[in-house]
Amino acid sequence: MTTTGADHATAVTGPWWWSRWRSAVLDGALALVSALECGAEGIPFARDAGVPLSAGIVFGLLAGSVLLLRRKWPIAVVLVSIAITPAQMGFLMGIVGLYTLAAAELPRRIIVALAGMSLLGTMIVTFVRVKQDMARGDLTLGDWFVPFAAVTTSLGLTAPPLLLGLYVGARRRLMESLRERADSLERELQLLAERAEERAEWARGEERTRIAREMHDVVAHRVSLMVVHAAAVQAVARKDPEKAVRNAALVGDMGRQALTELREMLGVLRSGESAQRRTASSASSAAVPLAAVGVAAAVAASRVAEEEGPWLSELEELIGQSAAAGMAVDLSVEGEVRSYAVQIEQTAYRVVQEALTNVHKHAAGAKTHVRLAHRGVEIAMQVENEPPPEPASAASVGLPSGGNGLVGMRERVLGLGGVFVSGPTDAGGFRVSAVIPAV
């Protein structure tokens, strides 16, 4: 990862206003050289001004040392350099001050104004000095040399540091902008990774719920019928051996069917897990959070549903199994029978299956009515049982209940945008109703 802007902002290790010791040492060295230069230039200034040499030297030393403040107050440094320009001192301070001013985060109008003042001051001073030298005879060139020398000198002392400072400042701002963008992208990537982990965890929970619901729907109904038939075998074993044999055969058939469906479900899960392991072993990078999200569960929930059904055309067989277990159940179908999408047919079948399972568990021997209505844009189903007989029949056994049947039915129906209602009836029975959009 790149170093972020926050890391640079907090990495202040230098003294006072310097961010680094290296910058402090550089500014100290420049200030020392500038002070020595101005001190040396203070000698001729003191002679021309008629003041003591010591005063000129001290003035030059103090003026040159102002360069130490160039990072803190660049405007003050430039103003001091402009102020001492008539004394022909502070050339290094003027150059470094203009560079620092142009590279600083200051409004352009201030930079242009101070640079113009420095250019004009240097031009005037140079013009006057060259004019005086020509008047004394030190220079024997023509009059054209005076403005030429003033312009070139002022431009040479002003333009290069100003342009260099503008370039360095623009480059610095560009680097800071790129650093901030990198920092922002890093934060966005972290946020996306956290959201991906949250979605992965949510997906894992959803797939675990789907697998639990599939297991419940596939196994619970047949196991409940097995328990009911086993109780019936126990009740009639001595009175009617032939009926007991038939019931025992039904128990065996249902047990084999339950084992077959359970084996298919677990086989799909294992194949999905092995495929997931192969994918993870062949990946060259670190584990991707979303790659391990419910692969086996998704395959199990979709492949079993699409290839094995169940289908609404198998409702008569389902009701026949309940009737063979001693339940008085009838089926009525309204509307034109047609096929639906796999999820719709599976959900409708599971609702009826789970409702019949609940009747076996909680109202053994009660008469049950199953109604299926094919409508234009929806399919409706209702399973209603009457109150169980009193006393309970011999088929009534203590079937355990996990309390997940109605929850699973509601989740299935609501997941397809349907409506699910369940509750006791006024007559003392129980009713389960569901409406599922056909599109």
Side-chain angles (χ1 to χ4, degrees):
M1 280 295 177
T2 59
T3 305
T4 62
D7 295 336
H8 282 272
T10 57
V12 179
T13 59
W16 296 341
W17 56 83
W18 288 282
S19 60
R20 292 174 296 182
W21 276 99
R22 184 175 63 182
S23 301
V25 172
L26 176 62
D27 289 355
L30 289 175
L32 178 61
V33 174
S34 176
L36 294 177
E37 177 206 351
C38 292
E41 292 168 346
I43 297 175
F45 167 72
R47 290 173 181 171
D48 294 340
V51 296
L53 293 179
S54 59
I57 295 174
V58 171
F59 174 76
L61 292 175
L62 293 177
S65 62
V66 175
L67 190 58
L68 188 68
L69 308 175
R70 72 182 188 95
R71 297 180 190 266
K72 184 69 172 177
W73 295 297
I75 297 178
V77 173
V78 174
L79 290 176
V80 171
S81 68
I82 295 173
I84 63 177
T85 299
Q88 286 189 320
M89 63 174 61
F91 295 103
L92 177 63
M93 183 169 60
I95 294 174
V96 177
L98 283 177
Y99 164 79
T100 307
L101 179 71
E105 296 287 341
L106 293 172
R108 289 296 177 88
R109 62 179 182 274
I110 296 179
I111 297 176
V112 172
L114 292 177
M117 292 171 60
S118 177
L119 175 68
L120 184 61
T122 305
M123 184 182 301
I124 294 175
V125 171
T126 305
F127 185 89
V128 172
R129 290 294 180 179
V130 173
K131 191 73 172 175
Q132 290 177 352
D133 292 340
M134 293 186 68
R136 286 195 303 265
D138 296 338
L139 293 175
T140 59
L141 298 175
D143 295 337
W144 62 269
F145 183 73
V146 177
F148 174 78
V151 172
T152 54
T153 303
S154 59
L155 288 177
L157 294 176
T158 305
L162 184 66
L163 296 178
L164 181 61
L166 291 175
Y167 167 75
V168 172
R171 184 175 179 274
R172 182 185 303 159
R173 287 188 292 271
L174 176 61
M175 295 300 296
E176 291 178 356
S177 175
L178 293 177
R179 196 175 296 118
E180 290 177 357
R181 289 183 60 185
D183 184 43
S184 177
L185 288 176
E186 184 177 356
R187 288 195 300 267
E188 290 180 2
L189 287 176
Q190 292 177 353
L191 182 60
L192 288 176
E194 293 176 358
R195 291 181 178 176
E197 288 294 337
E198 293 176 358
R199 289 195 299 267
E201 187 63 29
W202 175 82
R204 293 188 192 101
E206 287 293 315
E207 294 304 330
R208 283 195 294 267
T209 302
R210 291 179 60 185
I211 283 296
R213 189 164 58 237
E214 289 293 331
M215 290 289 189
H216 180 274
D217 292 341
V218 168
V219 178
H221 179 73
R222 300 194 185 279
V223 173
S224 299
L225 292 180
M226 289 170 58
V227 175
V228 172
H229 281 292
V233 170
Q234 183 180 4
V236 301
R238 296 181 180 179
K239 299 179 182 178
D240 192 348
E242 294 183 1
K243 186 176 181 181
V245 171
R246 290 195 300 271
N247 288 338
L250 287 174
V251 172
D253 292 340
M254 293 179 183
R256 282 187 290 272
Q257 292 176 3
L259 287 175
T260 300
E261 294 181 355
L262 183 60
R263 189 178 297 113
E264 291 174 353
M265 179 76 69
L266 296 178
V268 173
L269 283 173
R270 287 172 179 168
S271 64
E273 290 174 355
S274 62
Q276 177 186 347
R277 285 195 296 269
R278 288 195 299 270
T279 303
S281 62
S282 62
S284 58
S285 60
V288 181
L290 296 180
V293 179
V295 176
V299 175
S302 59
R303 189 187 302 175
V304 172
E306 294 180 2
E307 297 181 358
E308 304 297 333
W311 313 98
L312 285 176
S313 58
E314 302 174 11
L315 274 182
E316 293 184 359
E317 179 182 354
L318 176 66
I319 292 174
Q321 293 174 357
S322 296
M327 178 187 293
V329 55
D330 61 76
L331 172 65
S332 62
V333 180
E334 302 175 4
E336 181 181 356
V337 179
R338 63 184 188 274
S339 61
Y340 300 92
V342 176
Q343 290 183 339
I344 295 176
E345 294 213 10
Q346 180 193 16
T347 301
Y349 182 94
R350 295 302 189 193
V351 168
V352 176
Q353 182 188 55
E354 182 58 32
L356 293 177
T357 302
N358 288 340
V359 175
H360 284 294
K361 289 181 179 180
H362 307 293
K367 187 175 181 179
T368 306
H369 306 277
V370 179
R371 301 180 181 89
L372 186 66
H374 299 273
R375 301 170 184 169
V377 294
E378 62 187 15
I379 177 174
M381 65 226 64
Q382 183 182 89
V383 180
E384 181 179 351
N385 63 274
E386 299 178 359
E390 294 292 345
S393 62
S396 179
V397 292
L399 287 170
S401 176
N404 297 318
L406 294 176
V407 175
M409 285 190 284
R410 179 182 297 275
E411 290 176 351
R412 285 181 178 273
V413 174
L414 296 182
L416 296 178
V419 179
F420 179 85
V421 178
S422 64
T425 62
D426 296 336
F430 199 85
R431 181 188 299 117
V432 172
S433 302
V435 179
I436 303 175
V439 181

